[in-house]
Coordinates of all heavy atoms in Angstrom, one line a residue:
Q26 N -85.2 -5.8 -12.5 CA -84.7 -6.3 -13.8 C -83.5 -7.2 -13.6 O -83.3 -8.1 -14.4 CB -84.4 -5.2 -14.7 CG -85.7 -4.4 -15.1 CD -86.7 -5.2 -15.9 OE1 -86.3 -6.0 -16.8 NE2 -87.9 -5.0 -15.6
L27 N -82.6 -6.8 -12.7 CA -81.4 -7.5 -12.6 C -81.2 -8.5 -11.4 O -80.7 -9.5 -11.5 CB -80.2 -6.5 -12.6 CG -80.1 -5.6 -13.8 CD1 -79.0 -4.6 -13.6 CD2 -79.9 -6.3 -15.0
L28 N -81.7 -8.0 -10.2 CA -81.6 -8.8 -9.0 C -82.9 -9.5 -8.7 O -83.6 -9.2 -7.8 CB -81.1 -8.0 -7.8 CG -79.8 -7.2 -8.0 CD1 -79.6 -6.3 -6.9 CD2 -78.7 -8.2 -8.2
V29 N -83.2 -10.5 -9.6 CA -84.5 -11.2 -9.5 C -84.3 -12.6 -9.9 O -83.5 -13.0 -10.7 CB -85.5 -10.5 -10.5 CG1 -85.1 -10.5 -11.9 CG2 -86.9 -11.0 -10.3
I30 N -85.2 -13.5 -9.3 CA -85.2 -14.9 -9.7 C -86.6 -15.1 -10.3 O -87.6 -14.9 -9.6 CB -85.0 -15.8 -8.5 CG1 -83.6 -15.6 -8.0 CG2 -85.2 -17.3 -8.9 CD1 -83.3 -16.2 -6.6
N31 N -86.7 -15.5 -11.5 CA -88.0 -15.8 -12.2 C -88.1 -17.3 -12.4 O -87.2 -17.9 -13.1 CB -88.1 -15.1 -13.5 CG -88.5 -13.6 -13.3 OD1 -89.4 -13.3 -12.6 ND2 -87.7 -12.7 -14.0
I32 N -89.2 -17.9 -11.9 CA -89.5 -19.3 -12.2 C -91.0 -19.4 -12.6 O -91.8 -19.3 -11.7 CB -89.2 -20.2 -10.9 CG1 -87.8 -20.0 -10.4 CG2 -89.5 -21.6 -11.2 CD1 -87.5 -20.5 -9.0
A33 N -91.2 -19.5 -13.8 CA -92.6 -19.5 -14.4 C -93.3 -18.2 -13.9 O -92.8 -17.1 -14.2 CB -93.4 -20.7 -14.0
T34 N -94.3 -18.3 -13.1 CA -95.0 -17.1 -12.6 C -94.6 -16.7 -11.2 O -95.2 -15.8 -10.6 CB -96.6 -17.3 -12.6 OG1 -96.9 -18.4 -11.7 CG2 -97.1 -17.6 -14.0
L35 N -93.5 -17.3 -10.7 CA -93.0 -17.0 -9.4 C -91.8 -16.0 -9.6 O -90.9 -16.3 -10.3 CB -92.5 -18.3 -8.7 CG -91.8 -18.0 -7.3 CD1 -92.7 -17.4 -6.3 CD2 -91.2 -19.4 -6.8
K36 N -91.9 -14.9 -9.0 CA -90.8 -13.9 -9.1 C -90.3 -13.5 -7.7 O -91.1 -13.1 -6.9 CB -91.4 -12.6 -9.8 CG -90.4 -11.5 -10.0 CD -91.1 -10.3 -10.7 CE -90.1 -9.2 -11.0 NZ -90.7 -8.1 -11.8
I37 N -89.1 -13.8 -7.5 CA -88.5 -13.5 -6.2 C -87.6 -12.3 -6.3 O -86.6 -12.3 -7.0 CB -87.7 -14.7 -5.6 CG1 -88.6 -15.9 -5.5 CG2 -87.1 -14.4 -4.3 CD1 -88.0 -17.2 -5.2
T38 N -87.9 -11.2 -5.6 CA -87.2 -10.0 -5.7 C -87.5 -9.1 -4.5 O -88.5 -9.3 -3.9 CB -87.5 -9.2 -7.0 OG1 -86.8 -8.0 -7.1 CG2 -89.0 -8.9 -7.1
L39 N -86.7 -8.2 -4.3 CA -86.9 -7.2 -3.2 C -87.1 -5.8 -3.8 O -86.7 -4.8 -3.3 CB -85.8 -7.2 -2.2 CG -85.6 -8.5 -1.4 CD1 -84.4 -8.4 -0.4 CD2 -86.9 -8.7 -0.6
N40 N -87.7 -5.8 -5.0 CA -87.8 -4.6 -5.8 C -88.6 -3.5 -5.1 O -88.4 -2.3 -5.3 CB -88.5 -4.8 -7.2 CG -89.8 -5.4 -7.1 OD1 -90.3 -5.8 -6.0 ND2 -90.4 -5.6 -8.2
A41 N -89.5 -3.8 -4.2 CA -90.4 -2.8 -3.5 C -89.7 -2.1 -2.4 O -90.2 -1.1 -1.9 CB -91.7 -3.5 -3.0
L42 N -88.5 -2.5 -2.0 CA -87.8 -1.9 -0.9 C -87.6 -0.4 -1.1 O -88.0 0.3 -0.2 CB -86.4 -2.6 -0.7 CG -85.6 -2.3 0.5 CD1 -86.4 -2.8 1.7 CD2 -84.3 -3.1 0.5
P43 N -87.1 0.1 -2.2 CA -86.9 1.6 -2.3 C -88.3 2.3 -2.3 O -88.4 3.4 -1.8 CB -86.2 1.8 -3.6 CG -86.2 0.5 -4.3 CD -86.5 -0.6 -3.3
L44 N -89.3 1.7 -2.9 CA -90.6 2.3 -2.9 C -91.2 2.4 -1.5 O -91.8 3.5 -1.1 CB -91.6 1.6 -3.8 CG -91.2 1.4 -5.3 CD1 -92.2 0.6 -6.0 CD2 -90.9 2.7 -5.9
I45 N -91.1 1.4 -0.7 CA -91.6 1.4 0.7 C -90.9 2.5 1.5 O -91.5 3.2 2.2 CB -91.6 0.0 1.3 CG1 -92.5 -0.9 0.6 CG2 -91.9 0.1 2.8 CD1 -92.4 -2.4 1.0
I46 N -89.6 2.5 1.3 CA -88.7 3.4 2.1 C -89.1 4.9 1.8 O -89.3 5.7 2.7 CB -87.2 3.1 1.9 CG1 -86.9 1.8 2.6 CG2 -86.4 4.3 2.4 CD1 -85.5 1.3 2.2
V47 N -89.2 5.2 0.5 CA -89.6 6.5 0.1 C -91.0 6.9 0.6 O -91.2 8.0 1.1 CB -89.6 6.7 -1.5 CG1 -90.4 7.9 -1.9 CG2 -88.2 6.8 -2.0
T48 N -91.9 5.9 0.6 CA -93.2 6.2 1.2 C -93.2 6.4 2.7 O -93.9 7.4 3.2 CB -94.2 5.0 0.8 OG1 -94.2 4.8 -0.6 CG2 -95.6 5.3 1.3
L49 N -92.4 5.6 3.4 CA -92.3 5.8 4.8 C -91.7 7.1 5.2 O -92.0 7.8 6.2 CB -91.6 4.7 5.5 CG -92.3 3.3 5.4 CD1 -91.4 2.2 6.0 CD2 -93.6 3.3 6.2
L50 N -90.7 7.6 4.4 CA -90.0 8.8 4.7 C -90.7 10.0 4.2 O -90.8 11.0 5.0 CB -88.6 8.8 3.9 CG -87.5 8.0 4.6 CD1 -86.3 8.0 3.6 CD2 -87.1 8.6 5.9
Y51 N -91.3 10.0 3.0 CA -91.9 11.2 2.4 C -93.4 11.2 2.2 O -93.9 12.2 1.7 CB -91.1 11.6 1.1 CG -89.7 11.9 1.4 CD1 -88.7 10.9 1.1 CD2 -89.3 13.1 1.9 CE1 -87.4 11.2 1.4 CE2 -87.9 13.3 2.2 CZ -87.0 12.4 1.9 OH -85.7 12.7 2.2
G52 N -94.0 10.1 2.5 CA -95.5 10.1 2.4 C -96.0 9.4 1.2 O -95.3 9.1 0.3
T53 N -97.3 9.3 1.2 CA -98.1 8.6 0.2 C -97.9 9.2 -1.2 O -97.7 8.5 -2.2 CB -99.5 8.5 0.5 OG1 -99.7 8.0 1.9 CG2 -100.3 7.6 -0.4
K54 N -98.0 10.5 -1.3 CA -98.0 11.2 -2.6 C -96.6 11.0 -3.3 O -96.6 10.6 -4.4 CB -98.2 12.7 -2.4 CG -98.3 13.5 -3.7 CD -98.9 14.9 -3.6 CE -98.2 15.7 -2.5 NZ -98.7 17.1 -2.5
T55 N -95.5 11.2 -2.5 CA -94.2 11.0 -3.1 C -94.0 9.5 -3.5 O -93.4 9.2 -4.5 CB -93.1 11.5 -2.1 OG1 -93.4 12.8 -1.8 CG2 -91.7 11.3 -2.7
G56 N -94.4 8.6 -2.6 CA -94.3 7.2 -2.9 C -95.1 6.8 -4.1 O -94.6 6.0 -4.9
F57 N -96.3 7.4 -4.2 CA -97.2 7.1 -5.4 C -96.5 7.5 -6.7 O -96.4 6.8 -7.6 CB -98.5 7.8 -5.1 CG -99.5 7.7 -6.3 CD1 -100.2 6.5 -6.5 CD2 -99.7 8.8 -7.1 CE1 -101.1 6.4 -7.5 CE2 -100.7 8.7 -8.1 CZ -101.3 7.5 -8.3
I58 N -96.0 8.7 -6.7 CA -95.4 9.3 -7.9 C -94.1 8.5 -8.3 O -93.9 8.1 -9.4 CB -95.0 10.8 -7.8 CG1 -96.3 11.6 -7.7 CG2 -94.1 11.3 -8.9 CD1 -96.2 13.0 -7.2
T59 N -93.3 8.1 -7.2 CA -92.1 7.3 -7.4 C -92.5 5.9 -8.0 O -91.8 5.4 -8.9 CB -91.3 7.2 -6.1 OG1 -91.0 8.5 -5.6 CG2 -90.0 6.4 -6.3
A60 N -93.5 5.3 -7.4 CA -94.0 4.0 -7.9 C -94.4 4.0 -9.3 O -94.1 3.1 -10.1 CB -95.1 3.5 -7.0
I61 N -95.2 5.1 -9.7 CA -95.6 5.2 -11.1 C -94.4 5.2 -12.0 O -94.3 4.5 -13.0 CB -96.5 6.4 -11.3 CG1 -97.9 6.1 -10.7 CG2 -96.7 6.7 -12.8 CD1 -98.8 7.4 -10.6
L62 N -93.5 6.1 -11.7 CA -92.2 6.3 -12.5 C -91.4 5.0 -12.6 O -91.1 4.5 -13.6 CB -91.4 7.4 -11.9 CG -90.0 7.7 -12.6 CD1 -90.2 8.2 -14.0 CD2 -89.2 8.6 -11.7
A63 N -91.2 4.4 -11.4 CA -90.4 3.2 -11.3 C -91.0 2.0 -12.1 O -90.3 1.3 -12.9 CB -90.1 2.8 -9.9
T64 N -92.3 1.8 -11.8 CA -92.9 0.6 -12.5 C -93.0 0.8 -14.0 O -92.9 -0.2 -14.7 CB -94.3 0.3 -11.8 OG1 -95.1 1.4 -11.9 CG2 -94.1 -0.2 -10.4
F65 N -93.3 2.0 -14.4 CA -93.4 2.3 -15.8 C -92.1 2.0 -16.5 O -92.0 1.3 -17.5 CB -93.9 3.7 -16.1 CG -94.0 4.0 -17.6 CD1 -95.0 3.5 -18.3 CD2 -93.0 4.8 -18.2 CE1 -95.2 3.7 -19.7 CE2 -93.1 5.0 -19.6 CZ -94.2 4.5 -20.3
I66 N -91.0 2.6 -16.0 CA -89.7 2.4 -16.6 C -89.3 0.9 -16.6 O -88.8 0.4 -17.6 CB -88.6 3.2 -15.8 CG1 -88.8 4.7 -16.0 CG2 -87.2 2.8 -16.2 CD1 -88.0 5.5 -15.1
S67 N -89.6 0.2 -15.5 CA -89.3 -1.2 -15.5 C -90.1 -2.0 -16.5 O -89.6 -3.0 -17.1 CB -89.5 -1.8 -14.0 OG -89.0 -3.1 -13.9

Side-chain angles (χ1 to χ4, degrees):
Q26 296 295 321
L27 301 176
L28 300 174
V29 62
I30 299 169
N31 282 312
I32 305 166
T34 60
L35 175 64
K36 180 177 183 178
I37 301 170
T38 180
L39 293 177
N40 61 355
L42 192 61
L44 300 180
I45 294 170
I46 290 169
V47 163
T48 304
L49 293 174
L50 281 172
Y51 296 103
T53 308
K54 186 168 50 173
T55 303
F57 177 74
I58 292 166
T59 305
I61 290 172
L62 175 68
T64 56
F65 180 75
I66 292 169
S67 188

